Amino acid sequence: KMQMTATLTEALQEWESHQKEFQVIQENHQRYMQNLHEVSEMQSCISATIAHQRKSLKDFLQSLKTKGLAEEETKHVEEIKEHIQERQSILSQMEAFLPKKNGIYLCLVLGNVNVNLLSKRLKAAYKDEYEKFKLCVTVILLLLAFTCRFFVTYRFVDALMNFLLVWYYCTLTVRESILINNGSRIKGWWVAHHYISAFLSGVILTWPDGELYQMFRRQFLSFCLYQSFVQFLQYYYQSGCLYRLRALGERHNMDLTVEGFQSWMWRGLTFLLPFLFFGHFWQLYSSIYLLSMAPVPGCKEWQVSVCGLSFLVLFMGNFFTTIAVVRHKLKNTSLNRSKSR
Ligand code: COA
C-alpha cells in the first residue's frame, strides 16, 4: 500500500507539472491568436492604404503638366515626377510582404489562396526547395531515360517516362508562378518554355508505336539524357548564384563584393554556356529531323509535325533568350566597373 501511495504522489506531481506546462502553452497560444488577428487587420488596412496611395499618385501624375511653365518650375515638376516613380517602387517592395490576390493561372490551379510568403527567409527557403525539387526529378528522369535508351524497349515504359515529364513540367509552371508572386525575376520565357515542354511531352505520349516513332525515339531519349546532364550543371550554377547573392544581400560575409560575385558568375556562365548552346542546337536538329519526316508519304501521324514545330519554338525561345540574358549581364558588368572606378 505504501508503495502505491508513493507512486500516486509521484504521478500527481507529474500531472501537476503537465498542467502547468499546458497552461503556459494555452496562454502563449492565446497571445499568438491575438497577434495573428492584429496582423491580419494591419495587413488589410495597409493593403487598402497602399492601393489608395497608388491611385491618388497616378491621378496626381496625370494632372502634372509642364506646358507653359518657366524653366525653374518645369525642373521642379520633373523632380516631383521622379519622386513619384521612386515612391511606386517602394510601395511594390512593401507589397512583397503583404498577402496578394493570385493571377489567373494560380486561381485556376489552386483557387484564391494566399501564396505570398511573408518573410525573406521563407521566400529563400521556397526557392531552395524549388531548385532541389528539380534536381531530384532530374535524377529520376536520368535513370528512366538511361533504362529506356539502353535496356528496355517497351512503349509502356516510354509512356511512363513521358507521363512523368508532363507532370514535372506542369508542376514547374505552378511553382514558378508562386515564385514570381514572391518577387522572383525569372523571365517569362523560361515559364513559357515549361508550358511548351509539357505540351510536347503530352503529344509524344499520344504518339502510337510504329516505324516513325522508333526512328525518333532513340535520339529523343539521348536528348533527354543530355538535358538531364545540363540540368545538373545548371543546378550547380544557379544554387551557387543564389547562395552568393544572399550572402551579398545580408552582408554577413564581408569578403564577398559585387565584383567578386560577378567574377564567380562569369566563370560559371562561360563553363555552362557551351553546353546550353549545344542543347539548343540539338533541339533545332530534332525539329529539322521531324519536319523533314512529316511530308514523307508513309507519315500519317500528326504528332510528327506538331513535335517538330514545338522543338523549333523551343530552340528559338531558348537560344534568343539566353543571348539576351548574356547581353544584359555584360552591360550590367561594364556599368558596375565604370561606377566603381
Ligand atoms: N529556369 C528557372 N529559373 C530561372 C532560369 C531557368 N532556366 N533562368 C534563370 N532563372 C531565375 C534565376 O534563378 C533568378 O531567380 P531569382 O530572381 O528568384 O533569384 C532569375 O531567374 C533571374 O536570373 P538571371 O540573372 O536572368 O539568370 P541566371 O544567371 O540565373 O541564369 C542562364 C542564366 C542563362 C544560365 C539560365 O537562364 C539558363 O540556364 N538558361 C538556359 C535554360 C535552357 O536553355 N534549358 C534548355 C537546355 S537544353
Side-chain angles (χ1 to χ4, degrees), residues 127 130 184-187 190 234 237-238 280 329:
K127 175 84 185 185
Y130 161 79
S184 171
R185 296 150 303 129
I186 172 167
K187 301 248 169 339
W190 303 126
Q234 253 173 287
Y237 166 79
Q238 228 112 30
H280 299 164
K329 283 181 189 288

Side-chain angles (χ1 to χ4, degrees), residues 131-328:
E131 292 294 342
K132 288 212 181 87
F133 169 75
K134 285 207 289 190
L135 188 71
C136 281
V137 181
T138 303
V139 173
I140 299 171
L141 281 171
L142 181 78
L143 292 176
L144 263 173
F146 191 76
T147 315
C148 291
R149 175 70 180 77
F150 297 107
F151 301 111
V152 183
T153 23
Y154 282 121
R155 180 70 182 85
F156 174 72
V157 187
D158 286 5
L160 216 64
M161 194 188 102
N162 277 308
F163 183 74
L164 178 65
L165 277 171
V166 175
W167 174 81
Y168 171 58
Y169 286 124
C170 289
T171 318
L172 283 190
T173 58
V174 178
R175 283 181 183 247
E176 279 154 6
S177 303
I178 296 178
L179 281 171
I180 292 172
N181 239 2
N182 280 287
S184 171
R185 296 150 303 129
I186 172 167
K187 301 248 169 339
W189 166 255
W190 303 126
V191 185
H193 170 246
H194 295 140
Y195 282 106
I196 299 168
S197 301
F199 170 77
L200 175 65
S201 310
V203 173
I204 298 177
L205 191 62
T206 65
W207 193 336
D209 202 359
E211 206 184 324
L212 288 175
Y213 176 77
Q214 287 301 330
M215 275 165 74
F216 169 68
R217 178 183 181 273
R218 277 168 74 99
Q219 68 130 325
F220 175 67
L221 288 172
S222 306
F223 176 70
C224 287
L225 280 175
Y226 180 75
Q227 205 176 20
S228 303
F229 160 70
V230 174
Q231 187 60 51
F232 286 127
L233 300 183
Q234 253 173 287
Y235 172 78
Y236 176 72
Y237 166 79
Q238 228 112 30
S239 55
C241 271
L242 282 180
Y243 170 74
R244 282 169 180 78
L245 269 180
R246 243 167 253 159
L248 202 66
E250 288 160 11
R251 296 255 172 228
H252 58 218
N253 183 349
M254 297 307 272
D255 301 339
L256 194 66
T257 57
V258 174
E259 281 198 20
F261 167 73
Q262 281 184 338
S263 88
W264 185 89
M265 183 191 77
W266 280 114
R267 254 182 296 142
L269 263 185
T270 38
F271 179 75
L272 183 61
L273 281 174
F275 291 102
L276 285 179
F277 285 132
F278 186 77
H280 299 164
F281 281 102
W282 197 330
Q283 285 172 330
L284 178 65
Y285 168 73
S286 300
S287 150
I288 294 172
Y289 181 80
L290 287 168
L291 289 177
S292 62
M293 220 150 78
V296 172
C299 172
K300 288 192 195 77
E301 287 95 339
W302 58 270
Q303 284 90 345
V304 177
S305 44
V306 174
C307 288
L309 281 175
S310 306
F311 270 117
L312 187 65
V313 175
L314 284 181
F315 158 73
M316 291 203 298
N318 284 342
F319 184 67
F320 292 115
T321 311
T322 306
I323 289 185
V325 167
V326 174
R327 277 186 56 184
H328 182 75

